[in-house]
């Protein structure tokens, strides 16, 4: 793709603004060499004021989502895009979250502009497990794991039973739950259905990918090995 269009698609500004940046020598190759408007150059070779550009359209980005941010572009409150560079809202193709987390859920949230990858991750066929750590209002009773694993559990106002989910009790009021689907408020509704209440919820893993040491509120691009860990099968 021509340089001007590539930069505009990454949300850095209009084509006219990109032409001005290139003309003023602020967009260069990795060696600092000036470029033509219609150059086609590998994304990783580009620099803006000497620094690498944002991840390109094939990238997958991991965010450690903090509490209180909605997975939406329009919500009047705080949104996950507030944490990413402002430019991400103007990208073509758009950068979208891969699945969603509630406003009050923290943890691993992936984003990509690669529609094929997004659909592979959320497709039931890929069976990508999602691991949640729940802190509950009341002590666990001991029967939850069997109910969650049954494959017959029904949530209120739904007609299809939940797929079996694995519960590991980690404390009196804490548990790790692995889901193989993603229904609306699923973890909270599952615990509500067995008479409990989720006080805090954190997503620790998607497929074989964990947050590692990424601090809360921070994001970074995944490398190829990490991307491969998301879809296990
Ligand atoms: N289940 C929930 O209840 N909330 C989330 O954010 C994700 C799964």
């Amino acid at each position: 793709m021509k340089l001007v269009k590539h930069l505009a698609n990454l949300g850095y500004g209009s084509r006219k603004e990109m032409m001005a940046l290139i003309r003023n020598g602020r967009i260069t190759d990795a060696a600092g060499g000036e470029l033509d408007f219609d150059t086609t150059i590998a994304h990783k070779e580009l620099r803006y004021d000497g620094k690498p550009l944002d991840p390109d359209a094939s990238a997958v980005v991991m965010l450690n989502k903090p509490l209180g941010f909605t997975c939406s572009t329009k919500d009047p409150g705080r949104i996950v895009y507030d944490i990413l560079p402002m430019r991400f809202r103007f990208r073509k193709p758009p950068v979208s979250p891969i699945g969603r987390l509630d406003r009050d859920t923290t943890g691993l949230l992936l984003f990509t502009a690669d529609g094929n990858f997004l659909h592979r991750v959320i497709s039931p066929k890929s069976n990508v497990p999602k691991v949640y750590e729940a802190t509950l209002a009341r002590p666990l009773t001991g029967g939850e794991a069997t109910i969650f694993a049954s494959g017959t559990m029904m949530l209120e106002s739904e007609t299809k039973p939940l797929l079996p989910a694995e519960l590991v009790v980690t404390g009196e009021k804490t548990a790790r739950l692995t889901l193989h689907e993603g229904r609306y408020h699923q973890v909270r509704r599952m615990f509500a259905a067995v008479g409990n209440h989720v006080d805090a919820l954190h997503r620790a893993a998607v497929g074989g990918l964990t947050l590692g040491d990424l601090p809360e509120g921070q994001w970074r691009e995944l490398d190829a090995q990490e991307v491969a860990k998301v879809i296990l099968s």
Side-chain angles (χ1 to χ4, degrees):
M1 193 190 298
K2 304 263 166 78
L3 182 56
V4 169
K5 190 172 179 205
H6 180 58
L7 295 170
N9 285 355
L10 288 172
Y12 282 93
S14 65
R15 289 195 194 195
K16 209 168 150 197
E17 287 164 337
M18 295 306 94
M19 285 165 91
L21 279 184
I22 298 166
R23 196 179 305 117
N24 295 334
R26 296 182 64 191
I27 303 287
T28 62
D29 64 20
E34 298 204 357
L35 299 166
D36 290 332
F37 299 151
D38 57 0
T39 303
T40 47
I41 170 173
H43 177 80
K44 62 177 178 1
E45 292 300 318
L46 284 167
R47 299 291 179 273
Y48 182 169
D49 288 342
K51 298 198 191 82
L53 269 65
D54 291 338
D56 74 3
S58 66
V60 181
V61 155
M62 166 168 82
L63 168 72
N64 186 350
K65 180 190 167 300
L67 266 186
F69 288 79
T70 309
C71 289
S72 153
T73 48
K74 294 191 188 77
D75 198 89
R78 292 183 297 174
I79 58 175
V80 286
Y81 289 95
D82 293 341
I83 305 168
L84 302 169
M86 190 66 178
R87 295 182 287 279
F88 275 36
R89 291 179 216 187
F90 308 110
R91 286 177 62 140
K92 285 188 212 132
V95 175
S96 309
I98 305 181
R100 282 162 194 271
L101 290 178
D102 302 339
R103 190 169 65 90
D104 293 327
T105 302
T106 58
L108 204 168
L109 182 63
L110 297 172
F111 291 84
T112 190
D114 178 343
N116 287 336
F117 183 74
L118 187 148
H119 287 112
R120 274 181 64 211
V121 178
I122 62 174
S123 162
K125 276 191 218 138
S126 301
N127 187 19
V128 172
K130 270 112 13 192
V131 182
Y132 295 91
E133 284 161 6
T135 305
L136 303 160
R138 289 175 276 285
L140 289 143
T141 59
E144 296 89 347
T146 310
I147 298 169
F148 291 174
S150 66
T152 57
M153 185 179 183
M154 295 288 290
L155 290 177
E156 214 177 286
S157 74
E158 295 202 0
T159 51
K160 213 173 138 209
L162 293 176
L163 291 175
E166 297 89 54
L167 186 80
V168 176
V169 175
T170 52
E172 195 193 18
K173 294 187 192 169
T174 57
R176 188 175 311 120
L177 180 60
T178 303
L179 301 185
H180 301 271
E181 58 190 334
R183 302 200 199 177
Y184 179 68
H185 288 183
Q186 185 170 342
V187 177
R188 294 176 200 276
R189 291 165 73 209
M190 286 172 77
F191 280 105
V194 293
N196 213 323
H197 175 82
V198 173
D199 275 346
L201 189 59
H202 177 81
R203 183 152 74 188
V206 174
L209 181 77
T210 57
L211 277 167
D213 56 8
L214 185 67
E216 192 170 292
Q218 302 286 312
W219 67 275
R220 69 171 175 81
E221 186 178 350
L222 300 183
D223 64 29
Q225 283 88 350
E226 290 172 317
V227 172
K229 282 185 186 172
V230 175
I231 298 174
L232 300 165
S233 52

